[in-house]
DNA sequence: GTCCGACCGTA
DNA sequence: TTACGGTCGGACG
């Protein structure tokens, strides 16, 4: 905590009583649980936090804590056994609310502070002092006069129920003395509610007057004889000791031992999920709605928190206001009253609990108990039945669905049918476009008794766009795209594939079949068995409606079951925000990118392809001549035999299948020794690679309808959090060679538009500098100097100015090596130097940057211990085989584990940027469309006239993408450029 | 027809 | 030395 920070301390226990008496009684509708004070408490917190977000003035909290009394046995009882002895037990209907208010605090993501043997007031006094000493402002949320002694120019109070600020002048106005004399005033007046004796006959007015006259209590007691009024004088003389004890009782202890420091009170972002779950349990409907709006979480998809009875019982005990006799409230006694847990009858008492882990357990049991029965699935053939299912989904608030189409490409797919599931085992299929046998007749063959396509979508649209109904699919991006072609804006969404990915990245595939087998122990019908394979395969519209029903309804059923099983694990594993901030919001963003596609110039590719063919043919002739025979140059096996067998060149390494290696690196080395053939092979390979993979393949991906190329991004394919691109892969379009770059000139903007390329500069090294806390690196990035040259200078003692390019090249290779979890073997390979020399480089590097070695070692240790590593945003990458007994295998996993937090954090950063970029462009009234992502680069297309205005918006979003979740210790830098094609823009 | 390894394009 | 996807040849059935 520092100068300018502002700590809010809520007097939780004080609030409970005040709210209980001041607010009208309120009970939970479903079971009559009294929740008036809880409601008031939640509303107060909401308001305080709401204002904290809305206003930008200095008096908003940066730090926040709620303080509670713990037990009635405090040090004051030692001084004065009668202290608070007059207190009666709290009202019956207040008791359950003590625990609930603590849970409310936690639901709001706020520190919940209490300490045995001390009152909340003492903790507040201690924290206020600490904060003030740190230079911070403090606001105590309470109107209790006992706390007014704490008021200073930097510490004020706030009466949340009267919306009144209490500062020094307010204390003086109310009590007639400044805050620092409140202790003496209370010592004189006493406090009947706490049984603090004071001096009889002296109230606040008299006390203030006396203190005004004598200055302080000690002086007053010493000179009491001077007091004119006889009765008053006698009382003061007689009860002087009582006043001294009272002073001890009312003096708050500013040095209470604390377990949690003020630095841990930093205001955390609201966890919408957790908060809504609690508010729903309490049935605070309007607050639930407001929380949903403010946090962007869809309340309908949040399960009410199932409060743990035991937890409530425990929470009763510690409160100071519960007398010892009441502390041992058993769960039996509590559950005899309102049913806090709303437990279903089949659950045993020990299983009622609803810690997130318990919920996972009970959901697992539930899902495994429900058997699969394909004969129970329904085929929907008429509008009335469809309406029944839609109503059912509307009521349940959750529906899993799956579309069956005639193409794996969502940009081309026609819907054949659609399945729904509303609860495990309850699923149906709506056939829409099933065709009979091989009806070659034009448009013919549509099977009877299928609801017309338009009618199906007209009826489904309100459900699929209803904000109170959560739609679940496995691989939602595909569904989103298909639905969007039918004019449906699918939301809100959940995706079981992405949930699995967030939970278990690195633990195998996240396809539905494998998840079903893994979690539900069930093998669903195989798609292949329905459509066949190869030449004899058919499209889904030729599958019989009976078989399609079994298959499709089962998929929806499985999806729903997986969701019930996996979704709670997000909470249990603390991965809700990774899912909700980095995965789910990206679904519509990526879907729109895929939908837009990018324009590719067929003519340019065609011309390039011709050129490549010609060059390759010429080289082919030469190769045949040099080899002395016609062989298949594309076959490494045949090529190896020629080079190392027939021609007897010095063979390098061998591949694991026993073949000679003919890698480009090795052939380059041979070429450098003067051999002609290897050079030709390398050249030939480059040309044919460009031709077959790019110039020949890309035109086939131009969509006949849109005339553009629509790649497909896989969101759950990598272990690190990166996306992958396929069909076509637009993340590996050549750029390194001038020949290859020509391919990029075929990626063009529409007439009147430009392509903008914006890429992060050195993002992974910056992330490394941040996570490993390397001072030289952070400094270099802060100063904007050449990072590889700096590394070389540090390592080899060469000045940056006029540095030989070879020296810089080596440093650059080492820097990349570090990111990849360097080994001497790998570095030696990369730099073509002896392994000993590479090892020496690495040792030197670690000497100069010891933090890097620490980072690597601690990352490995973490991975070994937990089986996974984390990015700076909490995304996990699992390495289940990091404890392998095979040293090579283990070393490989270790390097990957070192790399994953770096690569993954960079991936998270660009994901955050992508989620924010569309709203930012909208806000700025700009029409730019995001088209592509290439790991650290985003490609946009925009009207020529808007280019200048667009670039700064994109740059700002990208450079600030880590904020506010993470404040990087290095700046992010984005280079952006606009041009007519991708080559010139990059 | 399907699968796997070698190779090579990207960050 | 990290992370991917596509193409090809070649082996298998």
């Amino acid at each position: 905590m520092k100068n300018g920070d502002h700590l809010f301390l809520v007097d939780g226990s004080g609030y409970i009583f005040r709210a209980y008496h001041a607010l009208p009684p309120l009970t939970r509708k479903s079971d009559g649980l009294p929740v008036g004070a809880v409601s008031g408490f939640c509303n107060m917190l909401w308001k305080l936090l709401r204002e904290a977000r809305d206003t930008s003035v200095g008096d908003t909290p940066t730090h926040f804590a709620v303080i509670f009394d713990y037990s009635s046995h405090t040090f004051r009882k030692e001084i004065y056994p009668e202290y608070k002895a007059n207190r009666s037990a709290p009202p019956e209907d207040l008791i359950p609310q003590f625990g609930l208010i603590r849970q409310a605090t936690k639901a709001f993501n706020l520190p919940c502070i209490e300490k045995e043997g001390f009152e909340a007031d003492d903790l507040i006094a201690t924290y206020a002092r600490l904060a003030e000493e740190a230079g911070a402002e403090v606001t105590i949320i309470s109107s209790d006069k006992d706390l007014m002694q704490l008021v200073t120019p930097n510490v004020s109070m706030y009466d949340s129920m009267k919306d009144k600020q209490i500062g020094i002048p307010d204390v003086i106005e109310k009590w007639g003395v400044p805050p620092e004399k409140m202790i003496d005033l209370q010592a004189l007046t006493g406090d009947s509610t706490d049984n603090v004796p004071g001096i009889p006959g002296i109230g606040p007015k008299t006390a203030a007057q006396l203190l005004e006259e004598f200055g302080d209590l000690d002086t007053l007691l010493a000179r009491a004889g001077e007091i004119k009024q006889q009765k008053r004088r006698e009382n003061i003389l007689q009860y002087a000791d009582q006043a001294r004890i009272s002073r001890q009782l009312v003096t708050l202890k500013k040095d209470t031992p604390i377990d949690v420091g003020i630095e841990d009170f930093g205001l955390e972002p609201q966890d919408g999920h957790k908060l809504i779950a609690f508010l729903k349990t309490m049935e605070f409907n309007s607050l639930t709605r407001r929380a949903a709006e403010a946090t962007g979480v869809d309340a309908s998809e949040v399960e009410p928190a199932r409060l743990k009875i035991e937890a409530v019982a425990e929470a009763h005990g510690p409160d100071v206001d519960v007398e010892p006799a009441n502390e041992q409230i058993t769960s039996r006694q509590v559950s005899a009253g309102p049913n806090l847990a709303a437990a279903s009858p089949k659950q045993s008492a020990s299983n009622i609990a609803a810690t997130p882990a318990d919920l996972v357990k009970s959901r697992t049991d539930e899902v495994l108990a429900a058997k699969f029965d394909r004969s129970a699935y329904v085929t929907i053939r008429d509008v009335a039945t469809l309406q029944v299912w839609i109503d059912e989904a509307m009521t349940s608030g959750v529906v899993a669905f799956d579309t069956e189409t005639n193409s794996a490409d969502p940009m081309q797919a026609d819907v054949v049918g659609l399945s729904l599931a509303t609860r495990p085992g309850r699923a149906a299929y709506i056939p829409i476009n099933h065709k009979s046998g091989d009806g070659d007749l034009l448009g013919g063959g549509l099977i009877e008794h299928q609801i017309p396509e338009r009618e199906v979508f007209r009826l489904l649209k309100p459900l699929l766009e209803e904000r109170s109904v959560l739609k679940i699919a496995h691989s939602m991006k595909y569904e989103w795209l298909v639905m969007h072609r039918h004019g449906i804006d699918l939301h809100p969404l959940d995706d079981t594939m992405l949930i699995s990915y967030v939970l278990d990245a690195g633990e195998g595939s996240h396809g539905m079949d494998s998840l079903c087998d893994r979690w539900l122990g069930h093998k669903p019908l195989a798609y292949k068995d329905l459509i066949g394979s190869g030449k004899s395969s058919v499209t889904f519209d030729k599958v019989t409606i009976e078989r399609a029903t079994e298959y499709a309804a089962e998929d929806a059923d499985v999806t729903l079951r997986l969701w019930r099983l996996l979704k709670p694990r997000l909470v249990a594993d603390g991965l809700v925000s990774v899912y909700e901030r980095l995965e789910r919001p990206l679904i519509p963003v990526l879907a729109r990118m895929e939908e837009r596609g990018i324009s590719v110039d067929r003519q340019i590719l065609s011309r390039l392809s011709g050129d490549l063919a010609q060059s390759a043919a010429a080289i082919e002739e030469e190769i045949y001549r040099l080899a002395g025979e016609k062989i298949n140059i594309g076959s490494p096996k045949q090529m190896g035999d020629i080079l190392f067998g027939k021609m007897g060149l010095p063979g390098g390494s061998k591949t694991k299948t026993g073949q000679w290696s003919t890698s480009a690196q090795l052939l380059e080395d041979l070429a450098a020794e003067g051999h002609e053939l290897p050079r030709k092979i390398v050249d030939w390979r480059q040309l044919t690679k460009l031709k077959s993979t790019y110039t020949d393949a890309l035109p086939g991906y131009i969509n006949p309808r849109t005339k553009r190329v629509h790649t497909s991004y896989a969101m759950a394919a990598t272990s690190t959090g990166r996306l992958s691109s396929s069909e076509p892969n637009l993340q590996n379009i050549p750029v390194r060679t001038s020949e290859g770059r020509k391919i990029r000139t075929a990626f063009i903007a529409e007439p009147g538009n430009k392509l903008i390329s914006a890429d992060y500069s050195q993002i992974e090294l910056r992330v490394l500098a941040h996570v490993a806390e390397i001072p030289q690196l952070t400094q270099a990035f802060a100063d904007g100097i050449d990072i590889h040259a700096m590394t070389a200078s540090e390592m080899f003692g060469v000045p940056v100015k006029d540095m030989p390019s070879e020296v810089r090249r080596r440093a650059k290779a080492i820097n990349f090596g570090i990111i990849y979890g360097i080994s001497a073997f790998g570095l030696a390979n990369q730099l073509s130097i002896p392994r000993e020399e590479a090892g020496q480089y690495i040792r030197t590097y670690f000497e100069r940057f010891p933090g890097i070695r620490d980072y690597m070692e601690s990352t490995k240790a973490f991975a070994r211990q937990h089986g996974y590593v984390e990015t700076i945003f909490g995304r996990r990458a699992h390495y289940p085989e990091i404890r392998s007994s095979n040293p090579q295998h283990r070393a490989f996993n270790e390097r990957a584990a070192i790399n994953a937090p770096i690569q993954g954090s960079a991936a998270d950063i660009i994901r955050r940027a992508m989620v924010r970029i569309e709203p930012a462009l909208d806000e700025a009234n700009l029409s730019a469309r995001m088209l592509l992502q290439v790991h650290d680069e985003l490609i946009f297309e925009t009207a020529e006239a808007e280019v200048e205005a667009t670039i700064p918006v994109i740059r700002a979003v990208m450079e600030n993408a880590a904020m506010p979740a993470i404040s990087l210790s290095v700046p992010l830098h984005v280079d952006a450029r606009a041009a007519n094609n991708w080559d010139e823009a990059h």
Side-chain angles (χ1 to χ4, degrees):
Chain A
M1 189 173 292
K2 59 184 187 307
N3 215 329
D5 281 347
H6 195 160
L7 170 64
F8 273 38
L9 293 167
V10 175
D11 174 15
S13 293
Y15 188 87
I16 296 174
F17 278 91
R18 189 124 178 274
Y20 175 78
H21 294 292
L23 299 171
L26 175 70
T27 56
R28 185 160 70 174
K29 277 202 186 65
S30 61
D31 59 7
L33 175 74
V35 291
V38 185
S39 165
F41 183 76
C42 289
N43 277 301
M44 171 194 64
L45 286 187
W46 179 259
K47 196 157 168 286
L48 288 175
L49 295 168
R50 177 89 240 181
E51 285 165 0
R53 276 196 302 273
D54 281 354
T55 51
S56 54
V57 288
D59 60 2
T60 60
T62 57
H63 294 67
F64 209 114
V66 185
I67 320 287
F68 293 97
D69 293 325
Y70 188 85
S71 79
S72 55
H73 293 281
T74 68
F75 67 94
R76 293 190 175 82
K77 275 245 152 107
E78 306 292 320
I79 301 170
Y80 188 69
E82 279 76 44
Y83 178 69
K84 290 199 175 178
N86 58 337
R87 285 267 176 113
S88 55
E92 195 69 11
D93 55 343
L94 182 54
I95 291 174
Q97 302 194 54
F98 293 127
L100 291 171
I101 282 178
R102 283 174 170 80
Q103 301 200 23
T105 306
K106 287 165 188 157
F108 271 90
N109 228 5
L110 297 171
C112 183
I113 305 297
E114 49 198 325
K115 174 114 185 131
E116 185 164 15
F118 295 93
E119 295 185 41
D121 291 355
D122 297 309
L123 289 165
I124 290 172
T126 302
Y127 284 121
R129 171 184 64 82
L130 290 170
E132 194 177 15
E133 284 171 2
E137 294 273 313
V138 180
T139 298
I140 298 164
I141 316 302
S142 171
S143 56
D144 192 336
K145 72 166 187 313
D146 297 349
L147 289 164
M148 290 188 182
Q149 58 181 274
L150 301 175
V151 173
T152 72
N154 302 315
V155 179
S156 61
M157 293 171 64
Y158 175 71
D159 180 345
S160 62
M161 300 183 80
K162 291 183 180 162
D163 187 23
K164 188 175 180 298
Q165 200 79 24
I166 302 166
I168 296 174
D170 308 286
V171 175
I172 296 172
E173 188 187 335
K174 173 131 200 229
W175 298 98
V177 294
E180 62 271 19
K181 294 196 177 170
M182 280 301 293
I183 294 172
D184 288 352
L185 182 135
Q186 287 175 266
L188 285 167
T189 60
D191 187 332
S192 57
T193 57
D194 291 345
N195 220 20
V196 173
I199 292 178
I202 295 187
K205 289 282 183 282
T206 311
Q209 187 199 318
L210 290 169
L211 289 172
E212 171 75 18
E213 189 177 341
F214 293 94
D216 58 43
L217 182 65
D218 288 327
T219 313
L220 168 65
L221 295 179
R223 294 167 47 194
E226 298 170 21
I227 293 168
K228 297 187 197 74
Q229 298 88 338
Q230 185 194 355
K231 187 70 184 164
R232 189 177 294 174
R233 182 177 63 244
E234 287 170 0
N235 275 344
I236 292 174
L237 288 168
Q238 185 181 345
Y239 294 106
D241 282 347
Q242 214 167 277
R244 289 192 187 92
I245 287 174
S246 297
R247 181 168 59 183
Q248 276 184 278
L249 293 176
V250 301
T251 302
L252 299 182
K253 193 168 160 55
K254 291 187 172 182
D255 55 355
T256 309
I258 52 169
D259 307 320
V260 186
I262 48 174
E263 64 281 359
D264 292 326
F265 291 166
L267 201 49
E268 299 281 340
Q270 204 64 267
D271 182 340
H273 208 275
K274 188 161 74 173
L275 177 58
I276 290 168
F278 178 82
L279 295 173
K280 272 188 128 172
T281 310
M282 290 292 101
E283 296 168 19
F284 298 157
N285 295 330
S286 77
L287 205 48
T288 301
R289 185 171 39 74
R290 280 146 68 194
E293 276 169 25
T295 59
V297 171
D298 197 280
S300 61
E301 59 163 303
V302 179
E303 294 274 319
R306 304 199 313 177
L307 301 177
K308 193 176 178 178
I309 283 186
E310 286 79 2
V312 175
E314 282 164 20
H316 287 179
D319 203 283
V320 65
D321 303 301
V322 180
E323 288 302 304
N326 290 337
E327 280 180 18
Q328 301 304 317
I329 293 174
T330 65
S331 59
R332 187 186 53 74
Q333 283 173 289
V334 172
S335 52
N339 184 359
L340 299 184
S344 61
K346 66 179 175 188
Q347 286 167 320
S348 68
S350 63
N351 197 22
I352 288 169
T355 63
D358 292 332
L359 184 59
V360 171
K361 175 74 172 73
S362 67
R363 282 288 183 83
T364 308
D365 295 345
E366 166 210 301
V367 165
L368 289 178
K371 295 299 169 216
F372 279 91
D373 176 10
R374 291 185 193 117
S375 67
Y377 298 143
V378 174
T379 306
I380 299 176
R381 292 172 173 277
D382 60 88
V383 168
T385 310
L386 176 55
Q387 196 56 56
V388 168
W389 280 80
I390 291 172
D391 292 346
E392 197 174 309
M394 284 284 196
T395 310
S396 82
V398 171
V399 61
F401 80 103
D402 188 31
T403 52
E404 302 305 332
T405 67
N406 58 7
S407 168
D409 177 1
M411 290 300 296
Q412 313 231 15
D414 290 319
V415 176
V416 174
L418 206 146
S419 56
L420 304 172
T422 53
R423 58 171 194 271
R426 172 84 176 148
Y429 180 64
I430 313 161
I432 299 171
N433 275 319
H434 282 263
K435 310 266 172 59
S436 61
D438 38 10
D440 278 335
L441 308 160
L442 228 66
L446 193 66
I447 291 176
E448 290 190 318
H449 305 301
Q450 299 186 79
I451 309 174
E453 179 175 303
R454 292 187 52 156
E455 190 71 356
V456 173
F457 286 111
R458 187 182 66 79
L459 291 168
L460 282 175
K461 186 175 161 82
L463 172 70
L464 297 178
E465 297 185 344
E466 171 55 47
R467 50 171 300 167
S468 66
V469 181
L470 179 69
K471 271 69 66 175
I472 307 160
H474 197 81
S475 197
M476 182 59 90
K477 180 158 59 63
Y478 182 91
E479 311 296 340
W480 191 99
L481 283 164
V482 171
M483 290 302 158
H484 202 236
R485 278 189 65 198
H486 290 90
I488 291 169
D489 175 25
L490 200 57
H491 75 278
L493 317 169
D494 249 349
D495 187 331
T496 41
M497 185 182 70
L498 295 184
I499 293 171
S500 169
Y501 179 58
V502 167
L503 293 170
D504 296 322
E507 304 265 23
S509 117
H510 306 281
M512 182 163 65
D513 289 4
S514 78
L515 292 185
C516 186
D517 191 28
R518 191 187 314 166
W519 296 106
L520 309 178
H522 171 78
K523 289 202 197 306
L525 287 179
Y527 191 68
K528 280 234 169 77
D529 291 347
L530 270 77
I531 62 158
S533 65
K535 220 172 67 170
S536 60
S537 70
V538 296
T539 46
F540 199 84
D541 52 317
K542 301 299 193 311
V543 174
T544 67
I545 290 176
E546 290 69 32
R547 295 196 76 195
T549 295
E550 292 196 334
Y551 171 81
E554 184 177 46
D555 272 6
D557 189 9
V558 168
T559 302
L560 186 70
R561 293 179 197 223
L562 286 174
W563 179 79
R564 291 191 62 79
L565 182 81
L566 297 177
K567 188 86 192 273
R569 278 188 58 206
L570 288 176
V571 183
D573 290 3
L575 290 165
V576 171
S577 77
V578 172
Y579 174 65
E580 292 187 350
R581 306 190 75 131
L582 299 175
E583 297 292 339
R584 199 171 54 184
L586 210 58
I587 294 170
V589 172
L590 286 174
R592 283 188 285 268
M593 290 166 69
E594 294 180 13
E595 201 174 43
R596 290 175 196 124
I598 186 165
S599 192
V600 173
D601 189 321
R602 202 186 285 271
Q603 274 67 46
I604 293 177
L605 291 178
S606 166
R607 187 168 42 74
L608 279 172
S609 181
D611 295 349
L612 291 168
Q614 229 173 1
S615 310
I619 296 176
E620 246 163 72
E621 289 306 319
E622 296 240 15
I623 290 175
Y624 296 149
R625 185 178 56 77
L626 290 165
E629 58 181 305
K630 275 205 168 187
I631 40 101
N632 189 343
I633 309 167
S635 165
K637 182 174 162 4
Q638 292 182 34
M639 232 32 255
D641 287 344
I642 296 290
L643 287 167
F644 309 113
K646 183 176 168 187
M647 301 182 66
L649 295 181
S653 55
K654 46 285 168 236
T655 67
K656 47 187 148 185
T657 50
Q659 294 295 323
W660 295 109
S661 167
T662 64
S663 69
Q665 175 69 60
L666 194 138
L667 297 182
E668 291 277 5
D669 292 347
L670 289 173
E673 291 169 26
H675 299 289
E676 216 176 334
L677 184 53
R679 169 90 266 150
K680 298 290 175 198
I681 296 169
V682 168
D683 291 346
W684 182 88
R685 277 188 185 163
Q686 195 204 357
L687 298 175
T688 53
K689 169 89 176 181
L690 293 176
K691 184 170 184 292
S692 65
T693 309
Y694 303 104
T695 62
D696 288 355
L698 278 173
Y701 287 103
I702 297 175
N703 183 303
R705 180 169 55 89
T706 65
K707 313 287 185 212
R708 288 165 77 96
V709 172
H710 308 265
T711 184
S712 174
Y713 289 104
M715 299 182 69
T718 71
S719 53
T720 54
R722 273 192 177 179
L723 302 176
S724 78
S725 158
S726 64
E727 294 178 290
N729 180 355
L730 296 186
Q731 290 181 324
N732 72 344
I733 302 301
V735 72
R736 289 177 191 182
T737 65
S738 60
E739 281 302 304
R741 258 203 308 277
K742 289 178 183 166
I743 298 188
R744 292 197 168 211
T745 64
F747 290 78
I748 55 173
E750 294 287 329
N753 287 265
K754 294 278 183 189
L755 293 183
I756 297 174
S757 163
D759 68 290
Y760 284 107
S761 158
Q762 309 278 22
I763 187 167
E764 292 191 353
L765 276 176
R766 288 172 199 259
V767 168
L768 174 70
H770 173 83
V771 298
E773 300 172 41
I774 309 302
Q776 300 101 311
L777 285 181
T778 40
Q779 189 60 47
F781 280 124
D783 297 343
I785 62 175
D786 182 333
I787 201 71
H788 301 310
M790 186 283 293
T791 306
S793 172
E794 282 273 349
M795 280 189 63
F796 307 118
V798 180
V800 169
K801 193 167 161 8
D802 298 325
M803 174 178 289
S805 65
E806 175 59 20
V807 173
R808 184 178 178 280
R809 188 181 78 87
R810 293 192 173 199
K812 182 176 175 179
I814 295 167
N815 275 334
F816 278 100
I818 294 296
I819 291 172
Y820 298 153
I822 203 157
S823 76
F825 182 85
L827 183 64
N829 235 13
Q830 178 69 28
L831 288 176
S832 300
I833 56 173
R835 202 186 311 185
E836 293 70 30
E837 196 178 344
Q840 187 52 53
Y841 280 1
I842 294 169
R843 278 191 293 279
T844 308
Y845 189 96
F846 284 154
E847 276 168 29
R848 303 302 302 157
F849 307 99
I852 300 273
R853 191 213 301 265
D854 296 343
Y855 164 75
M856 290 182 156
E857 290 304 321
S858 61
T859 303
K860 277 192 274 184
F862 186 96
R864 258 195 301 277
Q865 189 188 340
H866 297 96
Y868 64 84
V869 290
E870 284 183 333
T871 68
I872 53 178
F873 299 98
R875 175 192 298 280
R876 293 180 187 174
H878 292 263
Y879 293 93
E881 296 181 319
I882 193 132
R883 296 191 200 91
S884 168
S885 55
N886 175 338
Q888 279 201 7
H889 194 113
R890 189 175 59 240
F892 174 78
N893 277 276
E894 287 173 351
R895 289 194 297 272
I898 288 167
N899 173 254
I902 303 168
Q903 187 184 114
S905 297
D908 289 347
I909 289 171
I910 199 167
R911 277 173 182 254
R912 290 168 63 91
M914 293 171 75
V915 168
R916 291 176 187 182
I917 216 119
E918 290 184 350
L921 290 168
D922 280 349
E923 179 77 17
N925 249 322
L926 293 166
S927 64
R929 285 99 33 201
M930 183 159 55
L931 305 185
L932 303 177
Q933 189 250 41
V934 193
H935 307 308
D936 65 358
E937 174 187 17
L938 294 173
I939 312 293
F940 300 82
E941 183 172 19
T942 195
E944 211 168 333
E946 292 182 13
V947 165
E948 291 312 308
T950 301
I951 287 178
V953 173
I954 293 170
R955 178 177 279 138
V957 170
M958 289 176 73
E959 291 184 342
N960 294 307
M963 299 283 281
I966 296 288
S967 187
L968 292 173
S969 57
V970 291
L972 292 178
H973 184 259
V974 169
D975 294 309
R977 199 157 12 146
N980 289 319
N981 65 62
W982 192 3
D983 181 37
E984 289 166 31
H986 184 73

